[in-house]
Amino acid sequence: MPPPTPHRAALLVIDMQHAVQPLMHRADHTVGTIAGLSSRARAANVPVITVQQRGCGEVLPALAPRSGEPVVTKACADAFLNTGLDETLTRLGVTEVLVTGFATENCVETTARQALSHGYDLVLVADGHTTSVRSQPTDFAPADRAIAHHNEIYRHIDFPDRAVRVLPAGEIDFTPPERDAAEG
């Protein structure tokens, strides 16, 4: 039996760009949360991968990728579709993705589900994703409810052979889980 694959996380920062910032609900709060998490990830040698939507401008300055960090450009909601994201994650030995960014029910949701389908464990950062500001009247759920709704879905989602967690940024520990003594 081959040895277990070592745990390796990566932080995905999705579509936190200039063109969509005016549309973001609680933009400053979300940017601050992701910036703090990115800083902690880098300090723990956890890869931070910037995912940007084609045509939406530069990444917000507080979340700009550092020199040498991977940047993936996408053309639709799915950050895996026709991009090098899966290859980048594989090359880095990633087994778990932490998903943050904009917009909760579109690019964040689609990429999170695709991460599971591509074989990655998933952490949805509960306070690290946001949706669009809602104009009235609309059939969309109010922004805070939409975010809470998606967090709740992921607390109860069942995906074969995958770990799925929803954690606020403050509870994320980038220390790899301890291996069972029987695993060696």
Side-chain angles (χ1 to χ4, degrees):
M1 175 183 251
T5 303
H7 175 268
R8 175 106 164 118
L11 177 64
L12 301 184
V13 179
I14 301 171
D15 296 351
M16 298 300 288
Q17 296 166 257
H18 281 288
V20 295
Q21 184 178 17
L23 306 174
M24 290 181 195
H25 171 68
R26 300 179 324 183
D28 291 343
H29 171 79
T30 306
V31 168
T33 298
I34 297 171
L37 192 59
S38 296
S39 178
R40 290 177 38 226
R42 290 177 180 111
N45 203 28
V46 169
V48 177
I49 301 170
T50 300
V51 178
Q52 58 187 16
Q53 180 68 36
R54 184 173 292 128
C56 288
E58 296 296 316
V59 174
L60 297 172
L63 301 174
R66 304 300 186 260
S67 178
E69 288 182 342
V71 176
V72 173
T73 301
K74 62 185 182 60
C76 67
D78 180 357
F80 286 90
L81 184 63
N82 298 323
T83 71
L85 180 57
D86 193 40
E87 292 81 5
T88 297
L89 295 169
T90 299
R91 179 177 45 79
L92 294 170
V94 171
T95 60
E96 176 181 69
V97 294
L98 293 86
V99 177
T100 66
F102 177 81
T104 297
E105 62 276 269
N106 195 1
C107 300
V108 170
E109 160 75 11
T110 303
T111 299
R113 288 201 190 246
Q114 286 302 315
L116 292 168
S117 291
H118 280 81
Y120 300 98
D121 292 333
L122 174 69
V123 175
L124 179 61
V125 181
D127 52 348
H129 62 96
T130 192
T131 190
S132 57
V133 173
R134 309 298 197 207
S135 60
Q136 298 301 326
T138 181
D139 288 335
F140 281 113
D144 285 329
R145 281 191 35 220
I147 294 165
H149 173 81
H150 280 77
N151 287 341
E152 194 63 18
I153 286 171
Y154 279 88
R155 284 185 185 98
H156 298 282
I157 200 167
D158 185 24
F159 207 93
D161 302 319
R162 302 286 166 263
V164 180
R165 299 180 293 155
V166 178
L167 297 171
E171 291 182 19
I172 292 175
D173 179 4
F174 288 111
T175 307
E178 298 227 5
R179 293 179 63 189
D180 186 301
E183 293 178 16

